[in-house]
Amino acid sequence: MSTFNKVTDELVQELKSVLGEKGVTVDPEKLDVYKTDEEGNSYWFHTPEVVVFPETTEQVAEVVKLANKYLVPITPRAAGSGVACGAIPVHGGMVMELDRMDKILKIDTDNMYAVVQTGVRTSVIQKTVNEYGLLYAGDPCSADSCQIGGNVATNAGGNKAVKYGTTRNQIYGMKVVTPTGDIVDVGARLQKCSTGYCLEQLICGSEGTLGVVTEVTLKLRPLPPYKFDLVAIFKEDEKGFALPNKILKAGIEPTSIEYMDNKALSMCSKFCKVSLPHVDEGCCYVIITVETFDEDELDKKMEKLSDLCDAMGAVDVIQADDRIWGCRRQFAEAARDIDIMFVAEDFVVPLEHIAEITSKIPGLEEKHGIYSVTSAHIGDGNIHVLPLNVDKLSPIEWMEKMEGFHKDLFDEVYALGGKMSGEHGIGYKKLHDFKRCTPPGEYKMICAIKKALDPNNILNPSKIINVDDQ
């Protein structure tokens, strides 16, 4: 078990010698801001003892060395838009806020790559490279607020993952400060590589437990000039869930396939103050995006897709306008407007089991006395069920209710060959469920990697694995 020390005045002074007076704060009001990320349940809140604001990789490295010297834990933080308590300083200590490292260092339009610092917002990267006729394919729904460092930490997915993959698939390499304070470059701008361990892929998705990412070299792609968004509307969810494999087998190559159940549509349309077709009839939506480099090809694919949706029993097929995409992107915010303590599940199952796992949700709702809304990236089997605390339970009562719900839900997910997280990560919130659901041999390997790279357990302790297991 790891034992950490409290932050001392001596450590604060050494931090200021590295970062300057404005790079360190122990102001209680400012510290209070960092007690949570997007988590709204106060049960999970923990306040740091100091927050640091490095501006260079070298400063990050010096701070990590000091943390090892004083045995004080560091919680790396990007935009704080995570929903798994990954940026909450569970053991107090130090929060390392990286938002001052917010520069796009290079865009190479000929060789289609960009080098960015960890604190650049994802939407800024997207919009900047679009101006050069290029695409950064990472597209989490929180792109306007999240930062690329957080995307890397959680291996964020999003709307375009069905075609382009998750953040891990958008990375050539990265600059990382190791848990002991070394600065290393991992990965390379290569199309393939079988030279040693694939460290950039290991660090991506490690949630700040294996290193602090300070720069990322991103893959860029040509921006498709032709695009169409279609909505297939179904009265039976099962018919919508059967679409992804049909679409993929038809060779249509969609960029995204998104699903919203009727409760989610009602919630989001009310929040966004818009009227949506067929929602009052109890229907669900499947939103499909197709992009091409040829206008005739787009027309052919859209005609083929429309015919396929009709054949699958869609009651209507319409164009997905800004109202519909706006509702999809505001799904979490609409839930938060109802309940600040909402829980954002993001389990993932094989495509053929989407209908089976979602069919179990009503029974789990009834058993545990909860109300939930659902959206999903059904093109890759990633389901977002959001339980809402509509009964206004206390923070601890709601947490205890979710513990019971999670046990039953994750047992069902794993029985179908799924996993509890497709893109949000484990963080602190799913720590115990992760250990319970992970085969002992696999869990042992994960603990061994953490121990080898972070002998003092300095970086983001009690995230992914239990602090007692290192």
Side-chain angles (χ1 to χ4, degrees):
M1 179 177 177
S2 299
T3 301
F4 302 113
N5 294 326
K6 291 290 186 180
V7 172
T8 62
D9 290 339
E10 183 182 2
L11 171 56
V12 171
Q13 292 308 311
E14 288 208 51
L15 289 169
K16 288 181 177 180
S17 71
V18 172
L19 303 171
E21 289 287 335
K22 294 183 178 180
V24 182
T25 185
V26 292
D27 183 327
E29 289 187 9
K30 294 179 180 178
L31 296 181
D32 190 62
V33 173
Y34 296 92
K35 67 186 178 185
T36 187
D37 42 24
E38 285 292 327
E39 176 56 49
N41 188 343
S42 61
Y43 171 84
W44 301 102
F45 295 176
H46 293 271
T47 304
E49 299 162 71
V50 61
V51 179
V52 297
F53 305 88
E55 297 182 18
T56 68
T57 299
E58 290 72 23
Q59 287 181 341
V60 171
E62 290 304 311
V63 170
V64 171
K65 289 175 183 176
L66 286 173
N68 278 277
K69 174 182 174 181
Y70 286 90
L71 290 180
V72 169
I74 295 176
T75 302
R77 180 184 174 103
S81 59
V83 292
C85 300
I88 292 178
V90 176
H91 299 279
M94 186 188 315
V95 164
M96 180 182 284
E97 173 60 79
L98 296 159
D99 64 354
R100 294 185 183 178
M101 301 179 68
D102 62 353
K103 297 178 179 61
I104 296 178
L105 302 175
K106 182 177 183 179
I107 297 175
D108 189 318
T109 58
D110 291 331
N111 296 299
M112 294 191 295
Y113 72 93
V115 181
V116 303
Q117 289 184 314
T118 190
V120 183
R121 294 196 182 273
T122 308
S123 61
V124 171
I125 297 171
Q126 293 170 329
K127 293 171 184 176
T128 302
V129 302
N130 284 172
E131 294 173 2
Y132 295 94
L134 297 172
L135 169 71
Y136 171 64
D139 190 29
C141 287
S142 59
D144 287 336
S145 58
C146 64
Q147 296 170 4
I148 193 64
N151 294 176
V152 172
T154 60
N155 185 31
N159 300 326
K160 297 178 180 177
V162 62
K163 182 173 184 178
Y164 298 111
T166 59
T167 300
R168 183 173 281 131
N169 302 106
Q170 320 307 326
I171 293 174
Y172 278 124
M174 60 186 79
K175 189 179 293 292
V176 182
V177 175
T178 71
T180 53
D182 293 325
I183 300 172
V184 299
D185 291 291
V186 297
R189 200 166 51 79
L190 302 170
Q191 295 301 318
K192 63 179 182 179
C193 180
S194 295
T195 309
Y197 298 140
C198 195
L199 296 177
E200 73 279 9
Q201 299 293 292
L202 173 63
I203 291 171
C204 184
S206 65
E207 302 185 44
T209 63
L210 301 182
V212 181
V213 177
T214 59
E215 293 179 16
V216 190
T217 301
L218 300 171
K219 300 176 184 178
L220 304 179
R221 307 164 195 266
L223 181 66
Y226 303 103
K227 173 186 173 182
F228 195 91
D229 296 287
L230 173 150
V231 182
I233 302 174
F234 295 91
K235 285 191 174 179
E236 298 87 11
D237 291 346
E238 294 77 12
K239 292 182 178 179
F241 294 145
L243 260 182
N245 272 334
K246 297 286 186 183
I247 293 171
L248 297 173
K249 288 176 69 176
I252 294 173
E253 296 181 307
T255 301
S256 64
I257 311 175
E258 299 293 297
Y259 162 84
M260 297 182 73
D261 76 357
N262 186 258
K263 290 187 291 184
L265 289 168
S266 297
M267 177 186 74
C268 292
S269 60
K270 182 178 180 180
F271 177 75
C272 295
K273 296 180 173 60
V274 297
S275 176
L276 298 178
H278 301 285
V279 171
D280 291 342
E281 301 163 26
C283 293
C284 67
Y285 281 13
V286 178
I287 312 167
I288 307 148
T289 300
V290 176
E291 298 173 318
T292 69
F293 290 90
D294 180 86
E295 191 170 11
D296 289 338
E297 180 189 3
L298 181 67
D299 291 340
K300 291 177 181 177
K301 286 187 173 182
M302 292 312 300
E303 182 178 356
K304 190 175 184 179
L305 178 57
S306 182
D307 290 343
L308 180 59
C309 293
D310 287 337
M312 295 297 294
V315 299
D316 203 355
V317 179
I318 62 175
Q319 183 175 355
D321 55 22
D322 290 341
R323 293 174 307 158
I324 293 169
W325 269 117
C327 285
R328 174 63 186 93
R329 290 188 179 278
Q330 291 298 316
F331 176 59
E333 289 306 313
R336 184 175 288 107
D337 187 58
I338 295 173
D339 167 33
I340 195 172
M341 292 198 293
F342 80 95
V343 178
E345 310 296 351
D346 81 310
F347 58 86
V348 59
V349 296
L351 297 188
E352 68 270 22
H353 293 311
I354 294 175
E356 184 174 357
I357 190 63
T358 53
S359 71
K360 297 179 184 297
I361 299 302
L364 293 176
E365 286 183 312
E366 183 177 359
K367 177 180 178 180
H368 294 281
I370 63 173
Y371 175 87
S372 71
V373 294
T374 300
S375 73
H377 312 297
I378 57 171
D380 53 37
N382 193 187
I383 316 297
H384 296 304
V385 174
L386 271 58
L388 304 178
N389 182 22
V390 293
D391 292 330
K392 307 302 180 185
L393 300 178
S394 71
I396 192 167
E397 287 173 331
W398 181 238
M399 184 278 299
E400 290 173 346
K401 184 179 285 284
M402 286 299 97
E403 280 188 341
F405 174 69
H406 282 155
K407 185 180 186 309
D408 290 343
L409 172 64
F410 295 151
D411 284 352
E412 297 282 5
V413 167
Y414 277 72
L416 294 173
K419 299 284 187 180
M420 66 180 63
S421 177
E423 57 187 10
H424 293 165
I426 303 304
Y428 180 50
K429 205 168 185 179
K430 300 175 185 175
L431 189 73
H432 300 297
D433 285 309
F434 178 69
K435 181 177 182 179
R436 179 177 63 84
C437 294
T438 303
E442 179 183 349
Y443 189 79
K444 184 177 179 180
M445 287 181 67
I446 293 170
C447 293
I449 291 169
K450 172 67 170 170
K451 179 67 174 179
L453 295 181
D454 188 4
N456 291 322
N457 203 11
I458 290 299
L459 282 187
N460 227 6
S462 290
K463 309 299 166 59
I464 302 180
I465 60 174
N466 196 317
V467 71
D468 294 335
D469 295 330
Q470 183 175 343

